[in-house]
Structures are given as C-alpha cells and as structure tokens.
C-alpha cells in the first residue's frame, strides 16, 4: 500500500467533504456543525457556503467564481481566501479531493 | 470571506453557558456489550463485567439512540467490550444515521469480516477506530491474550479503507510496548489511517490491577513525548496524532472527560448512564438506568451525575485553587482508586497530599515491577502463564 500524501489545494482541485466528515445544521443549538471523530468545528456562514459548493465536481476556481459573483467581490481575494480555508480543513482531514489519494 | 480562521473557531459555543455545570451533551460512548475475544490487561471495563443476559435489547438501544438525538447529542461511539459481537450492530448504526447522529465504531477488529465492514458503511457508519496492542505480532498477541488478533486487525484495516471509511489507529501504550512507538506510527501511516491515538494507560480497573506490569519509566515517557512531536511534524496533513499523556509523572492532573457529567456520558451494556467508562469502579454511587428513566431526565437529575458536577463539591486544596475551572480537580476514578475517596484531589496533582508517596511507588514499580499480566476476563482475571 502506498503512503498517503498531503493534499495541496490548488485552483484545479475538486474539493469535497472527506468521507468521515459531516456538515449539518444542529437544531438543538441553532448552529452549523462540521463533525469528525473527536472533533467538532463551527463553520462560519461563508465556510458553510464554501463547503456546500465543494461537491467534488466544482473546482476551487469554480467555487471562488461563484462566490465572487454572488458577493460582487474581487475574484483574486476570494480565491486566496477559499484556497487557504480549504487547505487548513484538508490538513485537519475534513476536506478531500475528488480525484486525490485522500478518501 | 473575511478571515480563514473563522472557519474553524474552536467549538466554544458548544460548551455550557457561563455559570452552568453542564450543557447539552455532545458525545456518547455506547458500550453495547462487555463480551470480547481479547483480554487486554489494561481494559477500561470494570472488574465486574456486565453479563450478556443483562444487555440492552435492540429495541431498547434504538429508543435510546432517538433520545440521544433529541437531547442534542452529536456523536455516538459504539464500543464495548467488542461491539461487533452484537449481531444487531448494523441496525443500530442505521438507526443512528436516521436520527442524524455521527457514528463511530471502536473495535478490536477481531470478528469483523469484509462483508460486515461494507454493510456497516452502507448503514451510514462514518468512521472506524481499531485498537492495536503493539506493532510486533508476537508482542501484540501476547498483550491482547488472543493468538491471531494482530493479523486480523491488519486485514480489517484494509477492508475499512477499501469501503471508503476513515480509519483511526488506537494504540494503548505502557512500559512493555513504548519502545515500539516509532514502528506503530509507521504502521498507522502504512495502513492508511488518518488519525493515530497514542493513549497512555490510565490506571483504574484492570489497569490498576496490572500497574506494576504496565507503569512506564520516566525515561520512556520523555522519549514518547519526543517521538510524538517528531512524528506530528513529519506527517503533517497526512496523519493527525492525538496524544493522551500519562499523568502519573505530571504535576497537574488531566481534565478528565472535560469535567464530570459536563458534556459527554457513557451508557453501559446494561443501560446505566455513567459520566465516564470507568465510573463504575467507584463503589457506593448509584447510576441510573435508561430502563428506568428517559435520558433527558437522567442527564438533568441523576444524583450520581450531579454529585461531582462543577466545583461546589470540592474540598481543599482544589476549592481555593486557580485551576479548578480548568481541570475540575482531575479524575474522580483515579482519586477513588488511589485514596479510597472519590471526592479527594486527584493524586496526579502535585498539590495533593498523597502525590509524593503514590508516585514514588509507581516509579519503583516501573523500575522493578513484574512483567507478567493478569488478563481481563469475566472470571475476575487470569494470571499470565
Ligand atoms: S481493551 Fe482489549 S479486552 Fe478490553 S474491550 Fe478492548 S479489546 Fe477487549
Ligand atoms: S489543586 Fe485541584 S484544582 Fe488545583 S491543580 Fe490540583 S487538582 Fe486542579
């Protein structure tokens, strides 16, 4: 079995939630939650949007373009922020790439 | 898209509100059975194991899973004993998914088959945690007291990955296997695990019975710290390492379970609601059962849960200590095991009057103690031949 490699998020990556991560709205607390074993993250509204767009089909560039149009914000800045956010979630094992070595 | 850090605020708003001793429960450890083919000498189950005939039925567990979701529980960890011994495990996982619970299987992997793994994945299982006793097969099988366990674990880990499930390797560490930690890290990476739990033994129940055979030396603990730190750096983004440090040689106790009855609880095979898996080692406390009350009632009103919640129950020196809201006075089970009083300051704390004497004993045991185990089983334990 080959060793897993660290996923590097780029413009062409097709991000999706990792197999073991679940994004859900918790009615008891009125919060969005990102669940993994032993970990619960509280994504902010923008992170929730990014994760919902991260369906394994859209690329990071598609996700950034979508948000840049929706919020009428500069694509460069959005792309940088989306990439950094997804990278940090990938490093924690919450995000995978559709065609990557991670699940 | 203001700042990326906002995407991962630590889950502070999941904590109890200021001034409250407990909040909505976040996670539950569901011990489906105490039956297990293995006999680990550090097993966290109580010395007196629940009998199979007393186990909750499928229907009872299904009701309780629904009550968990209503109560705000987010994650359920199916554990034991060995949970795959229960033939209804798949039904329970399916029920957990239906009510929106994130489900995790904590298993020795002995008894798992490839078909079973795929069926569990189908039922909505999110994650599997397999315990390994060592990286060397002979040592692992000796520790687990089960001849072919180690090879079966390797097979099962492969099926878990093949089914697309996330895998955590859990390694319980002690004097007789700490030297293998570097190989265990490599094994976890090779098996395709995303997470490795390096859990030093906690000494109550079976582990306390075996303390002389398990207690690490100070030098081993220091080396363990170093290996974990180095591996975290080397495998960043590939393997997350959660590290449970041994508190016998520390100056401050661990924040056991994040505080007694604060955000998590445990359900024993016969349905008792406990603040942690070891709480039944404390004699004289009566734990309420899901057979007699709803989970919601138990969480709010169970006298055993309320007994050590918050900080009001604390004696000196905890009562007036600046750290009492961080560590809640340490572990009640360890306090009871080592002092006979569950309300005492955890002797792992340097401010406990018992600290010096107890940890001196432990150090001597680590240097000169026996290496023979007493194996965990329903007959009260069997000494290693
Ligand atoms: S610690 Fe060992 S004996 Fe105890 S339940 Fe786990 S595998 Fe079985
Ligand atoms: S005295 Fe009690 S509250 Fe203070 S550090 Fe020790 S265990 Fe914690």
């Amino acid at each position: 079995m080959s060793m897993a490699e660290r996923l590097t998020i780029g413009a062409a990556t097709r991000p999706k939630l990792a197999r073991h991560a679940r994004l859900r709205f918790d009615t008891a607390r009125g919060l969005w939650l990102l669940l993994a074993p032993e970990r619960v993250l509280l994504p902010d509204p923008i992170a929730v949007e990014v994760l919902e767009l991260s369906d394994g089909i859209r690329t990071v560039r598609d996700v950034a373009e979508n948000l840049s149009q929706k919020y009428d914000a500069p694509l460069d800045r959005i792309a940088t922020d989306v990439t950094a956010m997804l990278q940090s979630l990938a490093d924690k094992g919450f995000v995978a790439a559709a065609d990557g070595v991670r699940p | 898209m203001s700042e990326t850090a906002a995407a991962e605020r630590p889950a502070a708003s999941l904590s109890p509100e200021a001034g409250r001793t407990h909040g909505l429960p976040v996670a539950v450890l569901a011990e489906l059975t105490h039956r297990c083919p293995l006999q680990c000498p550090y097993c966290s189950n109580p010395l007196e194991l629940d009998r199979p005939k007393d186990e909750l039925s499928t229907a009872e567990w299904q009701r309780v899973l629904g009550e968990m979701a209503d109560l705000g529980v987010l994650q359920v960890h199916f554990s034991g004993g060995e949970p795959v011994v229960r033939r209804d495990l798949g039904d329970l996982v399916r029920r957990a998914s239906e009510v929106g619970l994130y489900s995790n299987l904590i298993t020795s992997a002995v008894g798992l088959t490839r078909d079973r793994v795929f069926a569990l994945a189908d039922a909505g299982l999110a994650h599997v945690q397999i315990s390994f006793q060592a990286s060397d097969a002979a040592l692992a099988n000796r520790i687990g007291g089960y001849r072919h366990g180690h090879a079966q674990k390797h097979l099962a880990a492969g099926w878990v990955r093949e089914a697309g499930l996330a895998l955590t390797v859990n390694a319980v560490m002690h004097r007789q296997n700490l030297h293998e930690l570097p190989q265990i890290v490599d094994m976890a990476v090779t098996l395709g695990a995303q997470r490795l739990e390096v859990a030093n033994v906690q000494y109550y129940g079976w582990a306390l019975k075996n303390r002389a055979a398990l207690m690490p030396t100070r030098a081993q603990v220091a080396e363990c710290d170093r290996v974990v730190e180095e591996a975290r750096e080397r495998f960043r983004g590939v393997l997350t390492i959660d590290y449970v440090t041994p508190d016998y040689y520390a100056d401050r106790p661990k924040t056991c379970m994040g505080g007694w009855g604060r955000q998590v609880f445990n359900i024993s095979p016969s349905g008792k609601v406990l603040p942690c898996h070891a709480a039944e080692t404390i004699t004289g406390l009566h734990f309420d059962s899901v057979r007699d009350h709803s989970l919601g009632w138990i969480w709010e009103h169970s006298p055993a849960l309320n007994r050590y919640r918050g900080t009001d129950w604390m004696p000196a020196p905890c009562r007036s200590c600046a750290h009492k809201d961080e560590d809640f006075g340490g572990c009640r089970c360890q306090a009871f095991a080592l002092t006979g009083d569950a309300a005492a300051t955890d002797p792992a704390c340097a401010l406990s009057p018992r600290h010096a004497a107890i940890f001196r004993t432990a150090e001597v045991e680590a240097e000169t103690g026996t290496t023979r185990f007493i194996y965990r089983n329903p007959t009260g334990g069997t000494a290693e031949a």
Side-chain angles (χ1 to χ4, degrees), chain B residues 25 27-31 34 44-46 48 50 61 80 257 259-282 285-290 295 298-299 302 304-306 309 333:
Chain B
V28 171
L29 189 74
E31 290 182 352
H34 279 157
S44 63
N45 291 152
E48 198 164 322
D50 282 0
W61 273 116
M257 304 306 285
W260 178 279
R262 193 171 154 85
Q263 293 206 274
V264 296
F265 62 88
N266 179 87
I267 303 180
S268 77
S270 63
K272 282 185 239 163
V273 176
L274 315 169
C276 81
H277 53 268
E280 280 185 286
T281 59
I282 303 174
L285 279 179
H286 170 77
F287 296 103
D288 286 292
S289 167
V290 297
L295 265 186
I298 295 174
W299 183 244
S302 163
L305 289 181
N306 284 324
R309 272 179 166 151
C333 302

Side-chain angles (χ1 to χ4, degrees), chain B residues 252-253 317-318 321 323-324 327 329-330 345 349 351:
Chain B
R252 296 271 309 280
C318 297
C321 178
H323 301 300
K324 68 178 177 183
D327 65 27
T345 294
C349 179
L351 298 174

Side-chain angles (χ1 to χ4, degrees), chain A residues 24 26 28, chain B residues 64-74 96 99-101 295:
Chain A
R24 62 167 268 217
D26 171 29
Chain B
V64 169
L65 288 164
E67 290 183 6
M68 281 183 208
D70 292 343
L71 199 55
V73 171
L74 303 171
V99 297
L101 294 168
L295 265 186

Side-chain angles (χ1 to χ4, degrees), chain B residues 15-21:
Chain B
S15 307
E17 292 163 36
R20 294 259 300 151
T21 58

Side-chain angles (χ1 to χ4, degrees), chain B residues 116-253:
Chain B
R116 197 96 191 273
V117 170
F118 276 78
L120 290 168
D122 251 12
L125 187 67
H127 175 267
V128 179
Q129 171 172 323
I130 300 181
S131 62
F132 284 80
Q133 281 65 27
S135 78
D136 173 70
L139 179 60
N141 293 336
R142 182 191 147 232
I143 293 170
Y146 186 82
R147 193 162 309 154
H148 301 296
H150 193 66
Q152 290 185 35
K153 288 160 193 282
H154 276 265
L155 279 175
W159 300 324
V160 166
R161 300 297 296 131
E162 190 189 339
L165 293 168
L167 173 69
T168 287
V169 166
N170 164 277
V172 176
M173 306 306 297
H174 47 81
R175 187 170 81 246
Q176 300 200 45
N177 70 359
L178 268 165
H179 62 282
E180 285 201 341
L181 186 55
Q183 290 90 302
I184 288 173
V185 172
D186 290 343
M187 179 183 78
V189 174
T190 311
L191 289 172
Q194 286 80 10
R195 189 165 150 267
L196 169 65
E197 215 173 70
V198 177
N200 277 280
V201 168
Q202 311 282 329
Y203 294 94
Y204 21 68
W206 292 97
L208 188 61
K209 231 176 157 55
N210 278 293
R211 192 177 71 182
L214 297 169
M215 180 60 62
T217 65
R218 271 183 196 271
Q220 281 183 307
V221 171
E223 175 65 4
C224 183
D225 289 348
R226 194 195 64 72
V227 170
V228 168
E229 202 161 305
E230 188 269 337
R232 274 183 175 154
E233 193 48 47
R234 189 151 48 103
F235 295 114
R236 188 140 49 98
V238 171
L239 184 72
T240 304
I241 304 181
D242 286 340
Y243 182 31
V244 181
T245 52
D247 63 1
Y248 260 57
Y249 294 132
D251 289 338
R252 296 271 309 280

Side-chain angles (χ1 to χ4, degrees), chain B residues 36-40 42-45 80-82 108 131 133 376:
Chain B
C36 184
L38 272 66
Q39 324 180 58
C40 308
Y42 47 71
C43 182
S44 63
N45 291 152
E82 177 45 67
S108 72
S131 62
Q133 281 65 27
R376 168 253 204 232

